[in-house]
Amino acid sequence: MSPRTIGGALMNNYLPELTVRIAMGLGEVDAEIRDRHTRFIAARQQADGGFGGREGPSDLYYTSFALRSLAILGELHGDLADRACDFLRSKLGGQETIVDFLSLIYGAGLLENSAGVEVFAGAADDWRSQVAAALEKLRRDDGGYAKGELGSASSTYHTFLVLLCLQLIERPIVQPARIRDFLLSQEADDGGFREIRASKRAGTNPTAAAIGALRIIDGLDQEVADGAIDFLLEMQNDEGGLRANTRIPIADLLSTFTGCLTLTDLGALHEIDTAAAMRYVEGLQQPDGGFFGAVWDEVADVEYTFYGLGGLAILHP
């Protein structure tokens, strides 16, 4: 195998740059396919302007995925965007989890950039500083961040989310060296990363989160990158997609997207069978739009549709 070098520029602002990258790749996909998925997502907007999962009311998490999908499709505008803005504004006073708060912040940014509507127009002048202070309360002694204030264990994924939030609100990342130490402590012998210290094995999605976080803080070296690449290469199975971890035999769309994205960032996507991965992603598309999450799935939703669109964009020849 030829020597590897870490591919791609540092993510100065990870999520916005990712949105642009995927949108550019998706622009090469057939217009009829893009239109089909646009119609699928738009049809799932609820009366309050938000989007829900496979059942139940609107929530911030699924609304963010719907808005991300519409943004990369170039279709986040007009009445749909105005109604989504109303939904996000209705959530400004709530106590949200870090996942939901990231969804709120990023959804607001997408609406402002794509449709010119401002969710935070009436917020206090120091709201960004208040958010940064609240996020720092999730810091634990090992340098990482927990899922919530009552959580005792730092989480690879939630540490990544905190960094994304800080980027989006344009606040400095505090003590990045401690964050790097925590992330590296999550590395397993096979080169992948664990979600929490007590986890018995590494996973595709924690590995993607760890590599993304290390890139944000400029803390990724070649040895760690090579280990992550080797781990992710082992996750592709005969279906063509990537598995969540070594104990799960079946591929899924989330792991396929995050794994392929990470391999792209590390300059190693060509080391998997990209044609097989593309066939896997295409095989989960539904005739009326939307994507299933895996071959066993029976319902398409807006979250997996984003992963599917991202997969098409990354893997498009």
Side-chain angles (χ1 to χ4, degrees):
M1 184 179 296
S2 61
R4 297 159 170 161
T5 56
I6 300 173
L10 287 174
M11 293 293 97
N12 293 320
N13 205 329
Y14 187 98
L15 282 178
E17 292 193 20
L18 175 60
T19 300
V20 172
R21 290 164 61 197
I22 295 178
M24 292 177 63
L26 204 56
E28 302 297 319
V29 175
D30 186 84
E32 190 280 326
I33 294 174
R34 299 198 307 269
D35 291 345
R36 183 195 318 164
H37 295 304
T38 297
R39 291 192 298 270
F40 171 84
I41 297 164
R44 273 141 190 84
Q45 188 172 33
Q46 303 201 41
D48 60 5
F51 295 79
R54 301 185 179 201
E55 58 184 16
S58 301
D59 66 36
L60 288 168
Y61 180 79
Y62 289 107
T63 297
S64 175
F65 277 106
L67 297 181
R68 290 172 74 179
S69 294
L70 291 168
I72 62 177
L73 288 162
E75 298 294 342
L76 185 54
H77 52 73
D79 179 65
L80 183 151
D82 291 338
R83 293 168 59 208
C85 183
D86 289 340
F87 172 74
L88 294 186
R89 283 175 179 158
S90 75
K91 298 294 183 180
L92 290 180
Q95 297 293 318
E96 309 296 347
T97 66
I98 184 174
V99 174
D100 283 343
F101 195 78
L102 174 65
S103 300
L104 173 60
I105 295 288
Y106 190 42
L110 290 171
L111 286 168
E112 183 173 358
N113 292 331
S114 298
V117 292
E118 295 187 33
V119 173
F120 290 99
D125 291 341
D126 66 341
W127 71 268
R128 290 179 175 84
S129 297
Q130 292 182 33
V131 170
L135 291 174
E136 198 57 27
K137 292 180 181 179
L138 304 177
R139 175 88 74 153
R140 296 296 173 260
D141 291 341
D142 59 9
Y145 293 83
K147 181 177 180 179
E149 286 194 47
L150 299 180
S152 59
S154 292
S155 152
T156 300
Y157 176 60
H158 286 84
T159 297
F160 179 48
L161 293 186
V162 168
L163 300 185
L164 294 178
C165 279
L166 291 171
Q167 284 196 323
L168 290 172
I169 63 175
E170 300 178 329
R171 286 298 178 267
I173 294 170
V174 179
Q175 297 179 317
R178 290 184 63 209
I179 298 173
R180 183 178 190 272
D181 289 344
F182 163 69
L183 292 168
L184 294 181
S185 76
Q186 300 294 87
E187 188 180 15
D189 291 341
D190 56 11
F193 285 77
R194 293 180 284 265
E195 163 57 10
I196 58 173
R197 194 180 300 275
S199 299
K200 294 183 178 180
R201 59 186 51 83
T204 299
N205 299 308
T207 299
I211 296 300
L214 287 168
R215 294 183 73 224
I216 287 171
I217 61 174
D218 195 14
L220 180 62
D221 63 37
Q222 192 63 56
E223 182 177 358
V224 173
D226 285 344
I229 291 169
D230 290 339
F231 171 79
L232 292 172
L233 296 181
E234 291 298 319
M235 292 301 101
Q236 188 173 34
N237 69 3
D238 291 341
E239 297 173 85
L242 274 64
R243 301 170 290 152
N245 61 54
T246 55
R247 287 289 298 274
I248 297 177
I250 299 173
D252 68 87
L253 193 52
L254 167 59
S255 300
T256 300
F257 169 67
T258 61
C260 288
L261 175 64
T262 303
L263 288 169
T264 299
D265 289 343
L266 297 177
L269 184 63
H270 63 281
E271 296 191 40
I272 67 166
D273 186 340
T274 54
M278 185 62 155
R279 287 194 296 271
Y280 175 77
V281 173
E282 290 178 329
L284 296 175
Q285 286 189 104
Q286 298 310 298
D288 295 327
F291 286 77
F292 286 171
V295 293
W296 44 259
D297 205 355
E298 297 179 347
V299 180
D301 66 24
V302 294
E303 178 184 5
Y304 280 99
T305 296
F306 172 77
Y307 302 142
L309 291 170
L312 293 180
I314 293 168
L315 294 163
H316 195 275

